[in-house]
Amino acid sequence: SHHRAGYAAAMALLLGLVASALATPARGATTTGLRAQAAAIAATVTADNAALAAIGTRYLNAVVAHQKDLVALSATRKSLGIVRADINRQQGLLQSAAVQAYVGEGSNSPLGLYLSGQPARITTSNAYLGVAARIVSSAIVTLSNDRITFSQELVTENHTVVAAAVALKSAGTERSNALTTLKTEQATLSSVQGQLATLVARDAAAAARAAAARAAAAAAAEAAAAEAA
């Protein structure tokens, strides 16, 4: 009787210890959920890394395109400046020729040449002046047409540069947003993985405690049985 009472008390004590060890809330479902969450986030991170690579390529292409358009715009401005300078120079030549003709009209007019005994120069002078005027005027017309062409190109290239700048800004914003999203996802993944590691460690510790309690209970039961016998 005394032995049975001691056995019962020992068993009650050990069973209480086992129950206490097993009273830790089950972590299986939470751990499984965190594993699934971590796997899903990791897959998203992988996909976003690939997307970021594509976004980075678009951004670099936008940078190259913008730089190329800026170079073209600079070249057109330079060409337009040269044409304008040439027009001014040709117009200066024409104006100078007109002034010289006006100043020299008294001695080089057809009547003056005739009276001075140089009638042959009348036709020659008129022909030369006519040819020269036509050449200069033609050059001015050609240069003016070039100026119009370059001016139109300048307007077009200005628009292209503006569009390229907008595209570059958009690509930069897209890249920045993608980087921010990726950093947030990686931080979340690290947090979930940390929680998962903590729960796994808790599960392992709880399992170890439960195993120790079961072993102690079995040993106590065996000792009590031996004592009862």
Side-chain angles (χ1 to χ4, degrees):
S1 173
H2 174 72
H3 291 302
R4 288 197 187 100
Y7 174 76
M11 287 300 296
L13 176 62
L14 292 173
L15 288 174
L17 292 174
V18 172
S20 175
L22 297 177
T24 304
R27 301 290 183 177
T30 302
T31 302
T32 301
L34 284 175
R35 283 198 179 98
Q37 185 181 358
I41 295 173
T44 302
V45 168
T46 299
D48 286 346
N49 265 319
L52 181 60
I55 291 171
T57 299
R58 288 197 295 272
Y59 175 76
L60 291 178
N61 289 339
V63 170
V64 172
H66 185 240
Q67 292 298 322
K68 182 179 178 182
D69 291 337
L70 285 174
V71 170
L73 179 62
S74 177
T76 300
R77 282 176 175 164
K78 183 177 180 180
S79 298
L80 184 58
I82 292 173
V83 167
R84 284 172 174 164
D86 286 343
I87 290 176
N88 291 335
R89 184 167 54 253
Q90 294 293 339
Q91 287 176 334
L93 290 175
L94 194 59
Q95 184 178 7
S96 177
V99 170
Q100 290 177 0
Y102 176 79
V103 171
E105 184 179 0
S107 58
N108 293 326
S109 65
L111 179 59
L113 291 172
Y114 181 81
L115 294 176
S116 63
Q118 303 178 65
R121 285 189 56 191
I122 297 175
T123 303
T124 303
S125 298
N126 288 340
Y128 173 78
L129 290 174
V131 170
R134 284 196 299 273
I135 291 175
V136 174
S137 297
S138 176
I140 292 175
V141 169
T142 300
L143 290 171
S144 296
N145 290 336
D146 289 344
R147 180 178 61 184
I148 293 172
T149 299
F150 282 126
S151 296
Q152 291 171 341
E153 289 180 5
L154 191 64
V155 171
T156 301
E157 288 171 3
N158 266 319
H159 291 161
T160 302
V161 167
V162 170
V166 171
L168 177 58
K169 182 178 180 181
S170 176
T173 301
E174 183 183 23
R175 178 172 174 269
S176 177
N177 290 341
L179 282 170
T180 300
T181 299
L182 189 58
K183 287 178 181 178
T184 301
E185 289 169 351
Q186 289 173 335
T188 302
L189 178 59
S190 296
S191 175
V192 171
Q193 288 173 335
Q195 294 176 44
L196 181 59
T198 299
L199 289 179
V200 168
R202 287 178 182 174
D203 284 348
R209 288 194 302 271
R214 285 193 296 270
E222 184 179 351
E227 184 181 353

